[in-house]
Amino acid sequence: MAQASPQNPVPALRLPSGEKVPILGQGTWYMGEGHRPRKEEVAALQLGIDLGMTLIDTAEMYGSGAAEEVVGEAIAGQREKVFLVDKVLPSHASRRGTIQACERSLKRLRTDRIDLYLLHWEGPYPLEDTIEAFEELVRSGKIRYWGVSNFDTADMEELVSVKGGSKVTTNQVLYNLTRRGIEWDLLPWHRKRSIPIMAYSPIEQGRMLRNPTLQRIAALHGVTPAQVALNWLLRQGDIMVIPKASRAEHVRDNRAAVDVQLTAEDLAQLDQAFPAPTRKRPLEVL
């Protein structure tokens, strides 16, 4: 099985600001909810940081703030190493509500700033109000950049038409081998504008891993099916990928996915097993 190579840095991509962030980060969905011992979750995130997966994604929704508290414990004393991503719930995304939600998240994270703050999905408040709140938070130093999550192509078109909307830094969406719908129009839209996608649930929460093609390719390379699925995303180079891992072994496996070398034949077999879209599909969410 491929092992992590800390001497080999995790590749990075450039945000619209020009800042570089690693293409492989760490997700935290379901952390802090008692599925694993808290100490183990904290240690897993800290190991990921040590291995170069310094982009950490969380949200106020995850465990009603419990995941943010786990992240806060994990980054204590090493905040400068981490690129921190957080999300505000649509129900909180009025101008005043966004600012208040951010301040609550900062307390749980035990930090004075969030690097990238996302609207979790579009909700009842006008985008203008949320963007105004984001810009106020940027001016006050509480966030550095802002973006969105679960926005389809028409949603992104609407966003960039709003005053200040062109400052969007990323769109975090469901994207993996079994969920390729964004390749029809959303991903090309982003690439044309150099706004990177952030892919959540990159192994479909484990559901894809029994696929025979994935298992066969993994066996040929001496790696796991999850590593093949992650590498398929990572090899694109302009996608940020945020798998969750609560155990040290799982963290190391995720890190080693960067170094898998898929062949043209492997990729052709994956395309056959997991076909690309042939028409527009509604954006999928989990």
Side-chain angles (χ1 to χ4, degrees):
M1 186 178 296
Q3 297 298 313
S5 305
Q7 300 83 6
N8 227 355
V10 174
L13 61 74
R14 287 189 186 274
L15 299 176
S17 67
E19 183 167 347
K20 288 185 177 181
V21 296
I23 60 173
L24 179 62
Q26 303 184 79
T28 61
W29 196 4
Y30 296 116
M31 282 191 178
E33 298 182 36
H35 301 291
R36 305 290 302 182
R38 182 188 181 99
K39 184 177 180 181
E40 197 171 340
E41 292 176 334
V42 169
L45 289 171
Q46 291 173 334
L47 174 60
I49 294 169
D50 291 343
L51 293 177
M53 295 182 287
T54 52
L55 186 155
I56 298 179
D57 174 80
T58 192
E60 65 169 339
M61 185 187 81
Y62 301 164
S64 299
E68 291 174 320
E69 292 173 352
V70 172
V71 172
E73 188 172 341
I75 68 175
Q78 53 181 347
R79 174 67 183 90
E80 298 303 322
K81 296 180 182 178
V82 174
F83 188 88
L84 192 57
V85 184
D86 207 334
K87 297 184 280 294
V88 58
L89 280 166
S91 57
H92 295 158
S94 65
R95 178 164 183 166
R96 182 179 179 188
T98 299
I99 293 168
Q100 292 174 336
C102 181
E103 290 170 345
R104 291 191 297 269
S105 290
L106 288 169
K107 287 179 182 177
R108 290 189 290 265
L109 292 162
R110 304 187 217 170
T111 186
D112 62 348
R113 70 200 182 282
I114 292 166
D115 295 294
L116 176 56
Y117 199 39
L118 311 181
L119 174 60
H120 211 148
W121 62 89
E122 194 166 1
Y125 295 103
L127 288 173
E128 291 92 333
D129 292 358
T130 309
I131 292 170
E132 285 177 5
F134 283 157
E135 289 299 318
E136 186 173 335
L137 288 166
V138 170
R139 289 191 295 271
S140 65
K142 292 177 181 176
I143 69 173
R144 299 178 59 225
Y145 312 111
W146 63 264
V148 294
S149 181
N150 298 304
F151 271 46
D152 206 346
T153 313
D155 304 318
M156 292 302 298
E157 288 282 8
E158 179 191 3
L159 176 70
V160 298
S161 73
V162 172
K163 181 181 177 183
S166 60
K167 294 182 181 179
V168 59
T169 290
T170 192
N171 182 14
Q172 184 182 123
V173 296
L174 178 61
Y175 182 38
N176 59 49
L177 275 167
T178 67
R179 312 273 194 162
R180 296 180 62 176
I182 71 167
E183 294 174 14
W184 182 256
D185 61 349
L186 181 62
L187 186 54
W189 187 97
H190 274 264
R191 284 177 168 157
K192 183 179 179 180
R193 292 159 180 79
S194 300
I195 302 169
I197 286 282
M198 188 180 296
Y200 75 81
S201 294
I203 59 169
E204 189 67 13
Q205 299 179 338
R207 287 184 289 271
M208 71 168 70
L209 302 182
R210 289 184 150 188
N211 178 273
T213 300
L214 206 53
Q215 292 184 337
R216 183 169 63 252
I217 292 171
L220 283 171
H221 290 274
V223 299
T224 68
Q227 288 172 320
V228 173
L230 287 174
N231 184 266
W232 179 83
L233 285 167
L234 293 165
R235 68 183 301 281
Q236 299 186 48
D238 60 351
I239 306 283
M240 293 171 278
V241 185
I242 48 170
K244 189 206 81 170
S246 299
R247 295 180 293 111
E249 179 185 7
H250 191 183
V251 174
R252 291 191 179 94
D253 284 351
N254 288 347
R255 171 60 182 85
V258 173
D259 302 315
V260 176
Q261 298 291 323
L262 296 178
T263 66
E265 184 178 352
D266 295 332
L267 295 171
Q269 290 179 10
L270 289 171
D271 278 339
Q272 187 172 8
F274 304 96
T278 56
R279 58 180 173 80
K280 169 66 179 175
R281 299 176 187 168
L283 183 67
E284 297 179 280
V285 298
L286 285 179

